[in-house]
Amino acid sequence: MSVVQAERTLRSATAGTSLTILGATGSVGKQTLDLVARNPGRWQVEALTANSDVDGLAAAARACNARYVAIGDEAAYPALKAALAGTGIEVAAGAEAVREAGARPAEIVLTAIVGAAGLPPTLAAVKRGATLAIANKETLVCAGPVVTALARASGATLLPVDSEHNAIFQVFDHAAPERVRKVILTASGGPFRTFSREAMRHVSVKDACAHPVWSMGAKISIDSATLMNKGLELIEAEQLFAVGHARLDVIVHPQSVIHSMVEYVDGSVLAQMGTPDMRIPIAYALAWPERIETPCARLDLARIVNLSFEAPDLERFPALALAWEALRAGGSAPCVLNAANEIAVAAFIAGKVGFLDIADVVSRTLDKTGSGPLDGLDAVLEADRLAREIATALVAAR
Ligand code: NAD
Ligand code: MG
């Protein structure tokens, strides 16, 4: 039984629902704040967090009248405090202050921090039984079994914001998951969908971030270019829907009209479609089980010339193959995959390694660590730490 299913009837949307946004200054965070601003009175913002963007965080906190703001970078505290002087908004800084944002009593916590850095505040929110609208997929990849076990124990509800998982959530038969034959994630294929390996060798960070369909933060854009994003999403899907890896599949669909599909035992395939605007899945998770108006462009199928599909090429995109392997291996392998990928992507952004080195660093890190048991938070933190150490050494050796 998946966690989303177990708690489906527990929450009812009411006006003035308290909401915390972790990672409020990023792409998903800003789109969430846009929906908050368009629906005055619907959500009362409890807490906002950011890593280092003082101006962005202060402006967002003033605009939505947040009660508490936390910035990860401790050195940014004086500037943030000054920027919010006279507002009555509580200001804090440091990793513990960001974790505290998840612990504060908001009914919904939208997790839009990038990377495993989102784990502590997410766990704090899960522990107190909150409803989580999860965009921060890395948290589910590195610690999925820990997060879902805690959610079952506390009664927390996990709602997916990632567009594919949100699509699956909308068409999944939560009452009879045994009737699901396949969960099929669609992938745009990213900016290098038609590139040879040789052509990918010298691509720049700018090329990799130029996603053909979605406008997103740098890390997920690069993950989309390597197809690691789809690999992380396979693992995320397994954590959320628990259908087993044999019932998961990926298909490349460059137009990104179909956001994912569920095939049933009778041969019916249900899909969720829409324009590529993250405010649609964000709105669905925030208002669930209701639906609310969004300002998004409407899907005009008559103007779309064709919808095409192709199998992913695991040879040109080895990151996706590595994620499949980590999913099948289970245990600490997904955590290692994620940590090594975070290090390799950061190194690519910093100009220390090339684009093809990203999957290579991940592969070598997995070879060195193997897969151990993942029987609690300490095991997650240790697997994550070790993988980062190995991946950092591999980067330095290039
Ligand atoms: P982004 O880089 O635009 O924003 C990241 C946010 O996290 C920022 O607010 C930043 O301040 C904060 N942050 C970064 N490092 C931090 C740290 N160490 N401690 C505390 N806060 C930190 O990223 P994004 O594109 O908005 O993506 C956020 C998450 O949502 C990622 O996990 C991504 O995979 C997922 N996601 C994004 C999209 C999208 O369209 N952007 C779609 C689906 C899923
Ligand atoms: Mg996605």
Side-chain angles (χ1 to χ4, degrees), residues 293-324:
E293 289 278 342
T294 73
C296 303
R298 302 289 133 166
L299 188 59
D300 183 352
L301 285 172
R303 286 185 60 187
I304 295 169
V305 180
N306 81 86
L307 297 184
S308 59
F309 302 92
E310 62 202 42
D313 183 339
L314 298 185
E315 276 168 25
R316 282 188 303 124
F317 296 98
L320 180 56
L322 291 168
W324 269 120

Side-chain angles (χ1 to χ4, degrees), residues 32 171 180 292 370:
T32 305
V171 297
V180 170
I292 56 170

Side-chain angles (χ1 to χ4, degrees), residues 76-390:
Y77 178 78
L80 185 60
K81 186 84 184 152
L84 290 172
T87 60
I89 299 171
E90 194 181 334
V91 178
E96 176 49 31
V98 171
R99 194 204 62 80
E100 167 69 18
R104 288 175 75 103
E107 288 156 83
I108 309 179
V109 177
L110 184 126
T111 74
I113 290 176
V114 59
L119 183 58
T122 299
L123 287 177
V126 170
K127 272 184 196 153
R128 61 178 180 79
T131 293
L132 283 91
I134 300 188
N136 175 213
K137 67 191 82 184
E138 293 91 346
T139 282
L140 285 177
V141 174
C142 75
V146 174
V147 173
T148 53
L150 261 178
R152 284 192 183 90
S154 70
T157 301
L158 309 184
L159 300 173
V161 168
D162 208 349
S163 58
E164 295 77 4
H165 307 74
N166 190 269
I168 294 160
F169 182 63
Q170 293 194 38
V171 297
F172 194 87
D173 188 344
H174 300 273
E178 71 282 359
R179 292 183 203 143
V180 170
R181 178 147 169 198
K182 273 233 138 71
V183 167
I184 306 159
L185 285 88
T186 51
S188 71
F192 309 140
R193 181 175 60 88
T194 59
F195 281 37
S196 66
R197 294 276 295 163
E198 206 36 51
M200 284 182 227
R201 188 171 303 280
H202 302 294
V203 295
S204 68
V205 173
K206 194 163 164 254
D207 298 332
C209 285
H211 196 279
V213 185
W214 299 92
S215 163
M216 311 179 286
K219 197 262 178 181
I220 182 174
S221 296
I222 291 164
D223 285 345
S224 299
T226 59
L227 290 201
M228 180 60 91
N229 183 52
K230 211 48 54 183
L232 299 176
E233 290 183 354
L234 278 169
I235 299 165
E236 180 186 15
E238 177 52 16
Q239 295 309 323
L240 289 168
F241 302 106
V243 295
H245 59 76
R247 286 196 282 169
L248 291 173
D249 211 349
V250 172
I251 185 121
V252 175
H253 165 45
Q255 297 82 12
S256 295
V257 167
I258 295 176
H259 297 306
S260 277
M261 300 172 259
V262 175
E263 181 191 327
Y264 287 91
V265 287
D266 63 356
S268 294
V269 179
L270 304 195
Q272 186 266 352
M273 301 191 280
T275 49
D277 188 323
M278 281 305 292
R279 289 175 301 182
I280 297 174
I282 294 169
Y284 188 81
L286 290 186
W288 179 85
E290 290 180 24
R291 286 184 190 271
I292 56 170
E293 289 278 342
T294 73
C296 303
R298 302 289 133 166
L299 188 59
D300 183 352
L301 285 172
R303 286 185 60 187
I304 295 169
V305 180
N306 81 86
L307 297 184
S308 59
F309 302 92
E310 62 202 42
D313 183 339
L314 298 185
E315 276 168 25
R316 282 188 303 124
F317 296 98
L320 180 56
L322 291 168
W324 269 120
E325 280 170 34
L327 173 63
R328 291 189 189 109
S332 61
C335 179
V336 170
L337 173 97
N338 176 67
N341 184 59
E342 287 192 29
I343 295 293
V345 170
F348 174 63
I349 291 173
K352 292 181 190 161
V353 300
F355 182 76
L356 295 182
D357 292 322
I358 297 172
D360 204 47
V361 166
V362 175
S363 171
R364 283 167 197 264
T365 306
L366 279 164
D367 284 348
K368 280 184 192 279
T369 59
S371 174
L374 199 77
D375 46 15
L377 184 58
D378 287 347
V380 169
L381 297 176
E382 179 52 20
D384 179 87
R385 185 201 63 75
L386 182 64
R388 282 171 200 270
E389 187 181 299
I390 294 171

